[in-house]
Each structure stands twice: as structure tokens, then as C-alpha cells.
Amino acid sequence: MARLTTPLTDFYAVIPAGGIGSRLWPLSRADAPKFLHDLTGSGSSLLKDTWDRLAPLAGEQRVMVVTGRAHRAAVEEQLPELADLNVVLESEPRDSSAAIGLAAAILEKREPGVIIGSFAADHVIKGTRFFNMAVAEAVEAARAGFIATIGIVPTEPAIGFGYIHATEETELEGAPSALKVDSFVEKPNAHTAEEYVESGDYLWNAGMFITKAAVLLEELAKTQPELHAGVVALAEVWDDHAKRGPAVDKIWPTLKKIAIDYAVAEPAAAAGKLVVIPGEFDWDDVGDFASIAKLHSSGYKKDLAILGEGARVLSDASSGILITDTGRTIALVGVKDIVVVDTPDALLVTTTANAQKVKSVVDALRISGRDDVL
Amino acid sequence: MARLTTPLTDFYAVIPAGGIGSRLWPLSRADAPKFLHDLTGSGSSLLKDTWDRLAPLAGEQRVMVVTGRAHRAAVEEQLPELADLNVVLESEPRDSSAAIGLAAAILEKREPGVIIGSFAADHVIKGTRFFNMAVAEAVEAARAGFIATIGIVPTEPAIGFGYIHATEETELEGAPSALKVDSFVEKPNAHTAEEYVESGDYLWNAGMFITKAAVLLEELAKTQPELHAGVVALAEVWDDHAKRGPAVDKIWPTLKKIAIDYAVAEPAAAAGKLVVIPGEFDWDDVGDFASIAKLHSSGYKKDLAILGEGARVLSDASSGILITDTGRTIALVGVKDIVVVDTPDALLVTTTANAQKVKSVVDALRISGRDDVL
């Protein structure tokens, strides 16, 4: 397959930038969600990195961001090339089906027949060339009428991701590696994960969906007719600024909160309409601090990863990850696989093994009314 | 022995309040040394607790504090009953022989024949009645011409303390439990510590010395004649305010830095002039965070001790100690035997097992010129 040098002409990238990333508290907050942070040390946020991957594929004028009203200023600051037309603001979070469904409906109305690709704003990808190749194949599959996803070839029996089971080849033109998706499976236990990886028949579900907007809307209409009607009604008036506001106020809060995986991907897979392109690039959803630590360890688990500009850190016989933005002097002495996240109003100390439990801290803080630090 | 109800008439208590407590960084600092902190949760500082133990024994007008000029305001604020006459300010730290020697020389000049007792400002004692009984015996031994120390009956084979070896009874009148000190021994290793405790012939060296001021000065004159001459010269002019300042400026910086243990106690023990009263009370030098954690655990090692007013802490499956004075929300998740010390400009994360290594952090910070956080 030739390397992509020009944008895919009928392709539109959609970036739903919604989730807070509770497992990354106190770094991620309601007003500073995960996608606005630089978790890779690249110097730019995950959102900007996502933009930088997609803009060359779709063209700068053809990347849409769906985000909360509260994040508009931050998003526009980080993405100065983002066109006003391509900013879709949610008045409140209604999960991914509403966000992606609305984007699909708006784009289909503006440009009937358009192919859209939805990519999370807060994942990490290394290996742009292989990513581009996978997207190109996915676009070909979408053009043939399928909903295409890109599944990551597992590098280890991860238990933190969902998997995609796919064995049957499709022989689609322009998408030689596409496989029919048999089913999506939830995060497995360690034993099952090992079986998955050994079999070679499972890929990680990275939540990327590439499809004709019309096909996605068609599927949504079958499984979630009210939700479909809602996003189509919103799209009808979206580009009429006088009507958009009242329609959003009226319709958006009524939309069902449901993940796109359940509303579209799984039913489409069951109906034989979903294909997967295996992606041979490094991918991580950086879902918790353990995964950020791994990202920075370069395989050397004995090291301490330090994130934070101008961090004044003294580390002795310590490993894990330290994230700081307070300018304080920080000393770590003899703490292994530690996670320390130091922010002006909140401090977290845990271990990489307990990284998934951070969400329960956020739940507990919410229950006790401590929204000031959430 | 009768319980003490009135002060010992010829007794003067001396509190050298000098050491910073490097192992308690970043809680203890040059400008906020260990003795100014409440480490017991009593609501008052270690210095105030020390005062509260000694003032009833000696009388409020007969407790002298030797401290650095920089701490004068804090000391006077914490000890409103402390008489001006009893504040001895060091222009710079010159170790305990200079501090206690100067106090002895001043008090001997003011009140020839006085018995002084020197007690660290930053130790923790529980069991005042047994402490008082030990002091009363020590004063009797001092009256008989001995230098008396109070050695703590060990409750475990601690490796963080020095020990006192003593077996020979003295049959001193008024000091029935006094034993001749055979020798002082340095902090032992774990195996030796166990032998010490099993033998029953060793006590912890708590650095308390009770003696006629004249006897202490006499011993000092033998082992450290220049130091002795210096403190006596200072004492000569101490109560002449016009002469004190110039004398301090001239003499104090020249005094040899040496611990009272080496300058007086060990030579006196070798000469058979030192007796020890076994103290049956709880004592700790709270030398590191592990010892503070132990102090607060009440024997329940699985608990997390929290020090800090208004601390907003969320702890899940964690143990050890958390000290905070920042008002931040702090979450500890699955960290065992942890030590977290959270101050506005510095943060320490270590474990109780590594508590002694904190001093090396302070050394490293000093070497790298980071005196702003020391």
C-alpha cells in the first residue's frame, strides 16, 4: 500500500472530546479533562496530538471536534486551525452515541455521502505511518458500505481493554487486511486475555469507527430511533444560528446516554456489517496512571517517570511515576512502583497496582460533596 | 517514694532547644525545627510539652531555655511563662556541650551550688509520675556529687538509640534505684540490640543529665579546657547587658562543637562519676517519621496516622503516617507503611522502613544549594 501523501477527499475526521478521565484524578478534572493534558511528554496535549494525526489525513478544514461548552476556549486555544464550523458544543455530556451521532447527522446534511472517522481525543498512538495505512483501508471499507473499526494487534494480554474477535477475511478492494468482526468482548480476566492473545484472533478495541455518516445514522435509527430522531432534528437546524440554540436546549438533554459501541458497533457486528482493520501501531488509552508510567518507562520498570515542567524532584531508590505542577520540591525515598500526583489543591499517592482504584476516590469525593476538587 | 507535690528547691531545669531534626524534613526546617512542632497530637509543641513536665518540678522561674536567636520569638510565644532571665540565645549552633556548659556556668554564677537538669526540647515522654520519680532520684544522686542520667528501660531492641550499660548498684541515699554507669554504647545492630535487651543490663540513652552545675563544669574543664574557659568567660559578663553582646560575638563562634555525651558523660562514666536512674516511663526521641507513626498507631500498624488540623484525607487500604498542613485534599490508595509529609513548598513520600534515609535527602538538598526548602 502506498504511503498517503494527500488527504482522503471524501473523509471527515470527528474527535469526540468528552470524557474527564476519572482514573487520572487529580490530574484530570471536570474543568481540565484528560484530553487537555500532555501525558506523553510530547509538549502538546493528547487532543493536539490527535489533531496532528488526523488533520493531514482529512485536511485541516475537515476535522470536527465535539466537546463540552466549558472546554470550548481551551480546545480552540490548543487547536488554532480548528474552523468554527467544526466546533460542536454539548450543553451537557450525553455519551458517545449522541456526540458521534450528531456529528454524523450534521456532516451528512452538509455533505451527503461523506465518510466520517471517529477517534478519541485522549488516546496515545505511536507509529503514524501504520495508523495512516489502517485509516486508508478503513475508509475503503466504509466506501464499500461497511462500518469499519481499527483493532490494535495486542502486544500483551492486557486486561484493561475490550477485545474484538475477528477471523473471517473479507477480500474487500482497497482493504486487503479487513476482517469481518464476529463480536466485541468486554475486558477479560488475565487468563482469558492470555487465551485471546495466544489465539491470534483478537484485537484491542480502540473505539475508532470509520463509516459513511449515512450508514451510521441508518444503524442508529434501527437500534435507537429516538436518539436518531433527536440528532437528525438538531442537524436540520444546526447551521441556522437562530434556531440552533433553542433546539439544543430542547432536544439535547432528552437524548439517551449510551456508548456508540452498544448503540451501533455491536448490533452492526451481529448483522455482519462491521469489519476491522488490524492496526500494527502502538496504541494506549492511557486510562490510568499505571499506563502513563508504562508509557514513560520505555520498558525500564525500575525508573521513575517524572512529568511536570520545572519539577524539582529528588528521587532515591524509587520507581513509578510522579506528576507535578506545583513547583514544590518533592523527595521520593525508597518507594517502588509509586504513583504521586501533586496538584495545587489535591494530592494522590498510590501504586501502579492500585491505579484502577483511583476512580473510587473520585466517586467517594463526589458522594461527600467535594466537587471543588473534582 | 512519695509523689512530688512541691518543686525541688535547689534544682534548675535547662532545655537545650537546638537541633533541627533533619530526619523530619520537610516538616522540620531551619526556621521551624522539630521542637516547635506538635508531633504527638497533644495540641502543643514538643517544647511546650517539655516545659509542662519541667516547670512543676523546678518552678516556672527556674526553667532555662537555650536556643538559636532565630527561634526566640517562637519560643517566647509558646512559653509565655518563660522569664527573660532564662532565655539564653545562641548566635549560631555550637552543639550541646557549649549550650549546656554555658547554661551551667551562668546558673552556677548566679546561684552557687545549684543542681541543673538538662532535658532535650524535642523528645516525647508519657508517664509523668514515673518521670518525676526518676528526676527526684537523679537530683539526690547529683546532690551526692554524681552526674546522674536517666536511662529508659527498653521496651524493644531498638536500633535507633544509644544504650547505657549499668549493673552495679550504688545504694545512694534518696536514689535507691541508681546504678553506676559502666559505659555508653553507640546505636547497635539488630542482633546486638536483642542481646542488650535480653541481658537486662542496658538502658536507652535519653540524653538527660542531672548534676551540680559545678561538677559539670569541673568535668568540662578537664576534657575541654578551652570550651570550659569560653563558657565561664561568657557567664562572667552574661548578666551585664552592655558586655554580653560583644562577649558572645567574640567567644561563641570559637567554641568547639562537641556533644555533651563525648565531652562530659563518657569521661565521667569512665571515672566512675556517672550514675543512671532507670526510667520506667514511655520515652521516644521521635527521631524519624517511623517513630512518629509508631507513636500514633497505638500498636495498630495497619492504621494510617494523620497529623494536621483540618486535613482532608481519603485513605483506602493504606497505613503509615500522613502529615499535612496545606489544606489540600489528599488521597492515599493501597499504600502500606507509607510516610507522606505535605507542606506548602515541599513534599516527601517514603516508607517507615526508609525513614532514617530522609537525612540524606536534606544533605542532598543542601549540597545542591536548595536552602530555600531546608
Side-chain angles (χ1 to χ4, degrees), chain A residues 103-123:
Chain A
I106 293 169
L107 293 172
E108 174 65 16
K109 180 160 167 28
R110 288 183 187 162
E111 183 177 322
V114 69
I115 292 169
I116 64 167
S118 165
F119 303 87
D122 55 7
H123 292 176

Side-chain angles (χ1 to χ4, degrees), chain A residues 351-367:
Chain A
T351 63
T352 51
N354 283 283
Q356 284 282 320
K357 287 170 74 183
V358 172
K359 193 176 181 302
S360 67
V361 169
V362 173
D363 294 342
L365 287 170
R366 188 169 293 117
I367 287 165

Side-chain angles (χ1 to χ4, degrees), chain A residues 115-353:
Chain A
I115 292 169
I116 64 167
S118 165
F119 303 87
D122 55 7
H123 292 176
V124 169
I125 287 172
K126 287 180 197 164
T128 306
R129 181 158 166 257
F130 288 95
F131 173 74
N132 291 352
M133 283 163 59
V135 173
E137 285 202 54
V139 168
E140 286 305 318
R143 198 164 280 139
F146 289 96
I147 297 179
T149 185
I150 297 171
I152 314 300
V153 178
T155 51
E156 60 177 344
I159 58 169
F161 307 138
Y163 283 71
I164 298 169
H165 184 230
T167 52
E168 191 188 333
E169 297 190 358
T170 59
E171 299 181 5
L172 276 172
E173 199 175 336
S177 58
L179 301 167
K180 269 259 166 78
V181 172
D182 178 52
S183 62
F184 288 83
V185 291
E186 300 284 337
K187 295 175 186 179
N189 60 32
H191 176 70
T192 307
E194 279 180 23
E195 290 183 344
Y196 285 177
V197 174
E198 274 172 31
S199 75
D201 296 338
Y202 289 81
L203 300 161
W204 288 337
N205 179 8
M208 305 175 185
F209 296 104
I210 298 93
T211 171
K212 283 182 182 170
V215 169
L216 183 140
L217 291 166
E218 204 175 290
E219 290 302 310
L220 195 62
K222 286 181 204 157
T223 64
Q224 300 290 336
E226 288 181 27
L227 180 51
H228 173 263
V231 297
V232 167
L234 281 170
E236 276 305 312
V237 299
W238 196 262
D239 291 327
D240 181 334
H241 287 263
K243 292 183 181 167
R244 183 199 290 180
V248 168
D249 291 346
K250 188 181 157 209
I251 298 169
W252 188 258
T254 70
L255 298 182
K256 184 171 174 180
K257 286 186 177 181
I258 181 170
I260 192 87
D261 302 69
Y262 305 134
V264 174
E266 292 185 8
K273 294 179 191 166
L274 213 128
V275 298
V276 60
I277 314 297
E280 296 272 3
F281 48 87
D282 282 347
W283 167 88
D284 201 302
D285 72 351
V286 278
D288 62 27
F289 290 115
S291 115
I292 300 180
K294 211 173 80 186
L295 206 66
H296 288 265
S297 69
S298 318
Y300 295 96
K301 281 206 169 181
K302 62 181 177 170
D303 287 348
L304 178 75
I306 300 172
L307 267 81
E309 275 184 53
R312 305 172 75 191
V313 179
L314 212 90
S315 165
D316 178 22
S318 297
S319 63
I321 185 163
L322 166 63
I323 303 179
T324 175
D325 65 353
T326 63
R328 299 200 296 175
T329 295
I330 299 178
L332 304 185
V333 181
V335 280
K336 305 289 186 190
D337 299 318
I338 200 81
V339 173
V340 175
V341 185
D342 170 57
T343 76
D345 62 350
L347 169 70
L348 169 73
V349 180
T350 185
T351 63
T352 51

Side-chain angles (χ1 to χ4, degrees), chain B residues 269-340:
Chain B
K273 293 180 191 166
L274 213 130
V275 298
V276 60
I277 314 295
E280 295 273 3
F281 48 87
D282 282 346
W283 167 88
D284 201 303
D285 72 350
V286 279
D288 63 28
F289 290 115
S291 114
I292 301 180
K294 211 173 81 187
L295 205 68
H296 287 265
S297 69
S298 319
Y300 294 97
K301 281 208 171 181
K302 60 182 179 172
D303 288 348
L304 178 74
I306 299 172
L307 266 81
E309 275 184 54
R312 306 173 73 191
V313 179
L314 212 90
S315 165
D316 178 21
S318 297
S319 64
I321 185 161
L322 167 62
I323 303 180
T324 173
D325 65 353
T326 62
R328 301 200 297 175
T329 296
I330 299 177
L332 304 186
V333 181
V335 279
K336 306 289 186 190
D337 299 319
I338 199 83
V339 172
V340 175

Side-chain angles (χ1 to χ4, degrees), chain B residues 153-159 161 163 193-194 197 204 283-284 294 301:
Chain B
V153 178
T155 52
E156 60 177 346
I159 58 168
F161 307 140
Y163 284 72
E194 278 180 26
V197 174
W204 288 336
W283 167 88
D284 201 303
K294 211 173 81 187
K301 281 208 171 181

